[in-house]
Amino acid sequence: MFDRDEELELALKCVRSGVWIAILGLRMSGKTSLAKVVANELRREG
Ligand SMILES: Nc1ncnc2c1ncn2[C@@H]1O[C@H](COP(=O)(O)OP(=O)(O)OP(=O)(O)O)[C@@H](O)[C@H]1O
Ligand SMILES: [Mg+2]
């Protein structure tokens, strides 16, 4: 995930602690990609 370290860490921290998040942004800004990386990471953690 290129240049989205802060957003990725924040999203992981929120979801891990049970806080729902919304990923908002311009078209093609990488929202779906960020969500997929978060989902994969959480799945990997179990
Ligand atoms: N961090 C990133 N660095 C470089 N390219 C990226 C990054 N995130 C996404 N991309 C690329 O940008 C394009 C758009 O990404 P993505 O589909 O995740 O955006 P989106 O915000 O969900 O778009 P949409 O608004 O159409 O749903 C894709 O080709 C994806 O591979
Ligand atoms: Mg999308």
Side-chain angles (χ1 to χ4, degrees):
M1 178 98 292
F2 183 73
D3 205 29
R4 287 280 186 254
D5 299 346
E6 267 180 50
E7 292 90 340
L8 179 57
E9 286 311 314
L10 179 60
L12 285 170
K13 199 199 294 185
C14 287
V15 178
R16 281 190 195 112
S17 55
V19 174
W20 286 48
I21 59 170
I23 301 174
L24 310 178
L26 295 175
R27 291 167 62 185
M28 296 290 282
S29 59
K31 303 179 295 295
T32 297
S33 301
L34 180 68
K36 285 181 171 175
V37 173
V38 170
N40 284 335
E41 176 62 22
L42 293 172
R43 185 184 306 124
R44 206 176 57 77
E45 290 171 10

